[in-house]
Amino acid sequence: MGLNKREQQILSVTAASWGIFLIGSGLIMSTQVKPIINTTYTLQVEERKIAQAQAKTNEIKVKDFEIEEANPLSVDVKDYLENASTLTEQTIRSLRLDTSLVNVNQAGTYQYIVSYGKKKYMGTVTVKQKEMPTITLRNVEYQLGNVSFSNYAKDYILEELTPEVYNTCSNPNFSQVDSLSTGIYNYTIVCNGTTYTGKITIVPQENIKINTPDPIEEEEEEDLTLE
């Protein structure tokens, strides 16, 4: 059964009223929701900033350094960090140090590793050849026929050295010395790969003078005794 004209007008007015009402409600709800969205976004930004600052604080920075040959390496991981003072104790306790690739007994450049979880940070250790102290060999003099060489380098070195340095020295080399002839000869000692040279002088044997009493004086002494 169809609607008459009056009923159609009433239905149209009712539908239009509901449409206006729903649109108005939507606008009101949209206005009310916006502050909540902004608040959530602000919290996310703040949390991100905090996380970034925390990550920057826990950033690992290893350093490169030098040591002398035969010196031991530190086992404290903090000695290998440039920014140890900015890291938390928890972070430092989580670090793992690996210096197994470093040979402290041979000069060269080596890598070490500091691990933090799955991350690895690599630094370098340069092992320098140990600097040798000044070494001077003695100039020695012997008499012909009374030449007696020592096999110990220490007996021919003027300076007082540490046992560690003495251990790098060879026995004295007297191959250029003719102990049966007078003259001036060179001898050598090698310490830590460096050759040092000294002089050995062999002089003629001195004549030994034997003092004998004068016969006349002896007779005079005898005469005095008789009196």
Side-chain angles (χ1 to χ4, degrees):
M1 179 178 178
L3 298 175
N4 57 33
K5 188 175 181 180
R6 180 177 177 75
E7 289 174 340
Q8 289 176 354
Q9 289 177 348
I10 293 172
L11 184 59
S12 297
V13 171
T14 303
S17 299
W18 275 105
I20 293 170
F21 174 75
L22 291 173
I23 291 171
S25 298
L27 291 173
I28 292 171
M29 289 179 66
S30 176
T31 305
Q32 290 176 346
V33 170
K34 280 183 180 178
I36 297 174
I37 294 172
N38 288 339
T39 303
T40 303
Y41 177 75
T42 303
L43 287 173
Q44 288 176 346
V45 170
E46 290 300 324
E47 287 175 358
R48 188 179 303 166
K49 286 181 179 179
I50 292 171
Q52 288 174 347
Q54 204 168 32
K56 190 172 182 180
T57 301
N58 290 331
E59 186 179 358
I60 311 300
K61 293 181 181 178
V62 297
K63 60 185 178 182
D64 302 333
F65 59 94
E66 295 181 346
I67 62 169
E68 274 195 345
E69 227 175 351
N71 281 352
L73 284 170
S74 171
V75 295
D76 189 348
V77 70
K78 288 190 287 188
D79 293 335
Y80 297 80
L81 304 175
E82 285 189 353
N83 61 332
S85 60
T86 65
L87 301 175
T88 64
E89 284 298 322
Q90 183 178 359
T91 299
I92 292 176
R93 285 196 298 269
S94 301
L95 299 178
R96 295 292 177 267
L97 174 66
D98 181 4
T99 59
S100 60
L101 298 176
V102 183
N103 183 359
V104 297
N105 295 314
Q106 184 174 348
T109 300
Y110 304 90
Q111 288 187 327
Y112 70 90
I113 300 171
V114 174
S115 300
Y116 181 50
K118 294 183 178 180
K119 293 183 178 179
K120 295 184 183 296
Y121 303 87
M122 303 186 74
T124 60
V125 177
T126 301
V127 180
K128 295 172 59 179
Q129 190 172 30
K130 197 172 185 66
E131 293 184 7
M132 290 292 291
T134 300
I135 294 178
T136 310
L137 300 190
R138 300 177 186 276
N139 293 326
V140 188
E141 184 177 289
Y142 293 100
Q143 281 190 356
L144 187 64
N146 192 26
V147 178
S148 178
F149 297 135
S150 170
N151 289 323
Y152 297 101
K154 185 176 182 180
D155 294 336
Y156 295 91
I157 296 175
L158 285 172
E159 293 81 9
E160 284 293 329
L161 307 176
T162 63
E164 182 184 5
V165 177
Y166 279 129
N167 289 337
T168 69
C169 296
S170 67
N171 293 333
N173 182 355
F174 302 109
S175 62
Q176 298 180 38
V177 181
D178 182 358
S179 61
L180 301 177
S181 301
T182 60
I184 300 175
Y185 305 94
N186 289 334
Y187 74 98
T188 59
I189 294 176
V190 179
C191 294
N192 198 35
T194 302
T195 301
Y196 301 89
T197 303
K199 299 287 186 184
I200 286 183
T201 302
I202 299 179
V203 298
Q205 189 174 22
E206 293 179 0
N207 294 325
I208 300 174
K209 294 181 180 180
I210 302 174
N211 295 323
T212 57
D214 191 329
I216 297 175
E217 291 179 356
E218 210 171 68
E219 289 178 1
E220 290 179 353
E221 287 178 0
E222 288 178 359
D223 292 340
L224 290 172
T225 305
L226 290 174
E227 290 179 358

